[in-house]
Amino acid sequence: MGVVEDRIGPVHPRDRFLHGESVEGSVRGPILHSWQRSRLLGLSPDQSELPFTQDFDPDGRLIRAARPVLDRLESVFAGSQMNISLADGYGTVLERRFGEKSMVKRLSPIQTVPGFVFAEQFAGTNGIGLTLAERRLCQVFGAEHFAERSQSSACTAIPLRDQLSGHIEGVLCLGYPYTDADPALIPVVRKAAEAIERRLMEQSSARERGLLHAYLEAASRTGAEDHSGNGHALGMSELLQSELEQSDQMTLKEKATELMSSAQWAAADVPLSRDRWVTLVSRPVTSPSGVEGIVIEALLPDEDERHAPAPTGPPPGPLSRAVPRTPTRAARAPGTSGGTLGTSATAGTAGAAAAGSEDAAGGMVRGLVLVGEPEVGKYAVAARRRLELLAEASNSIGTTLDVGRTAWELAEIAVPRLADFVTIDMPEAVLRGEESAHPTTEMRRTVVHGIREDCPFYPVGEQVTLRPTTPHMRSLTTGQPVLEPDLKAAFGWIAQDPEHAELLLAHNIHSLITVPLFARGVLLGIASFYRSQDPAPYGDDDRSLAKELAARAALCIDNARRYTREHTLALALQRSLLPRGLPDQVAVEVAHRYLPAESGVGGDWFDVIPLSGTRVALLVGDVVGHGLHAAATMGRLRTAARNFAELELAPDELLTHLDNLMVRLDREEGGDNPALGSGIVGATFLYAIYDPTSQRCTMARAGHPPPALVHPDGTVTLLELPAGPPLGLGGLPFESVEMRLPEHSQLVLYTDGLIDDRHRDIDVSLDELIRALAHPDRAPEETCQAVLDAVAPEHPGDDIALLVARTNAVSPDRIASWDLAADPAMVGEVRAAAVSQLGRWGLEESAFATELLLSELVTNAVRYGTAPIRVRLILDRTLICEVYDASSTAPRMRHAASTDEGGRGLFLVAQLSQAWGTRYTTEGKVIWAECALTAA
């Protein structure tokens, strides 16, 4: 809430705040935070005393730069109630100007006399103090002021920065009655601030021009006195244009900047392209006004040596080994002038800059590279290092799609070049790949990283509760980084946990930057950068760097979060589509493993489906691709495969139906139209049916890796099955293979993720698989684990589905069968034989139901089927009755009318059995029914 209709500001919220009520959402965030800090400092709204000092230079650098601008503002606002204030970086008012001169007599000394300190810790919420705290343009209206004395006024204030260092040098503040508030004041104060900052920069340029002048004067005097002929000077711009490539010029300037920042005599050999060297020499220089600076010169062989034939002997040493004793003359290139960092001013060099022995090989060429103050060089070096850090961060942050690892990479890149310690707090929901509904109250310490491990930060995993006054919460609520240059004076930070703050201060941690991690409108957490070793506090350039680092990291974290969410959803979907448990059956002992890929969920699946006649179907498949699409396609294929298996289709027929289904799905997904997407690429599939009564196994595959068979004697073979095309190509045939599997042999089905590894040849993987399986005495569970341990890649790039089935056989004494002629008279004989067999099995109680059921099935086969006819009883978990005949016509159950003489036989079969159905064979069909062993 800013200025209201009566221009006095949020009076009622302020009253509620002073009475301890919550005003969250009804007052602007910076104002509320300032109120809260003021209350923590123990300030009183009716407090009128402020610190006063006369210890400031009335003709200081900032005042000299601002004075013409203040004169102009005073003229612009002449006759108005405008109070124009200039304060330094600590909140001390340095100068006052008034639109109406008589205001000096009407206002209190606090508002008219320079020297009063308006920093927030003394004056509470006000324009100067809030601007220094927020480090940006701020406006305060009426009741937004904390002090009662300022309730009738409003103000607009803006920080004044040194354009080289970015440091806040002071504050320009316009104060006026709250009734005169006008949005047009904002561009006025911005332009005035820009003018003051420009004049500050001109002062720096004037200082550098003085240094250049002193350097040229010294060079001229030295050149006039020296006639030794041991070297000459060359304009550096001429040298750069004629001799050095662009990359060499950049290298020279970067090294020259480093030498300037060292602020001392120094020399450095700089390697250039084409095996050349340049020696840079730095030396101090003092301007006539007393400004101390540094001159950087370059030394090269003269033109004759540069173009002389290459010597046949070993190459000479670096040029610094042959610096001439004195120069002979001074030269200056046309258009050369002094200036800021990076200007290539040129001149001859003073003799003192080239002390050394005489160069026996000839003269030297020397030129001025840079001249300036050491602090300017330090700013340039820091700026280049910040750019280097950002460039490295682009390559180092986001190397994985793991949220926690990405946050850790942000901390690693920041320590120690930006911070000595970094902490990152994130909501638990973000770590799970979700968006947090209440991120500010669900923060948990995620990363703690620093130059040493003994600093007492909250440990990783601990819940972090943030008070409204902390820089962390201010950063989260405003969405902007918050800089606390002096933590000893950061009362909001201290109030969060005074004991913990004392421990950190005791470890010399003195400066803090907090940056929210925002990406695509989602708050992902907050990063805190602490400084301890560097005595200089953080500045605005550091805050900008931290903001840029956090922004890049936040995008990578959000990408990882989105991937984590999709990966979690896909994994949950796939696991929900995979078998939750294996069905009860006696044909095989089964164990399975499913291992998702590290990089994404794929479309691998397996299944075990009991079939009629104690048979079992074993399925393993793999949809091409990863993610939700692959998992969803896998679910559709698995459902379709189960349905086709229930129809008792032969393996090759089932693959044909699945292939047709894939073609239709691909068409529906837009596979025929590139504009609609890529469609479904395809899938591989292996389908096997094992019959324990005959120990025969029928298999077919569609582009899938061949299964492995472990014989009871330990021999392992990869079964040679026709490969068949992958599902989805359409129109190509599949072929089934039938073979006998010895009892207690192990059939191993797997997907290609087990053996396909880019770091290993597939033949090597298959050899490892064979060795791992050559232990027939192991149980299927043990076999699964042994295979994964020995063969699976350490970091699987694809899903792995593994199914191990050890075969069993139905004992012959649990099977009874009879061959019949197509004669109705045979029905009675079969019924009698069946009852007799049930007696031998101890199933007398099931005799009546079984007799009736068999009577109906055999009668139908005799009446409607074709010879030969065969009846089989199998004692399993249930009693299975099967009737074979050579006809391909299947009966169907219908609702018989009351007047119908027939049509009730299959209805009776359905009532007497748990399940019944029809399956087709190459010779005909089988009608089967399963009866509970306790049936009466």
Side-chain angles (χ1 to χ4, degrees), residues 10-24 26-27 31-40 45 125 146 469:
V11 177
H12 299 299
R14 181 176 178 274
D15 291 340
R16 296 202 309 272
F17 173 81
L18 294 176
H19 285 85
E21 300 179 22
S22 175
V23 294
E24 192 77 29
S26 60
V27 181
I31 299 297
L32 178 58
H33 295 151
S34 181
W35 287 358
Q36 292 167 335
R37 292 193 296 270
S38 299
R39 186 165 59 184
L40 283 172
T125 308
F146 190 77
T469 57

Side-chain angles (χ1 to χ4, degrees), residues 785-800:
Q785 192 58 50
V787 167
L788 289 184
D789 293 341
V791 187
E794 183 177 357
H795 301 285
D798 195 5
D799 290 13
I800 297 174

Side-chain angles (χ1 to χ4, degrees), residues 689-702:
I689 297 177
Y690 174 67
D691 186 349
T693 63
S694 62
Q695 300 179 26
R696 307 294 295 179
C697 184
T698 306
M699 291 175 279
R701 61 180 177 133

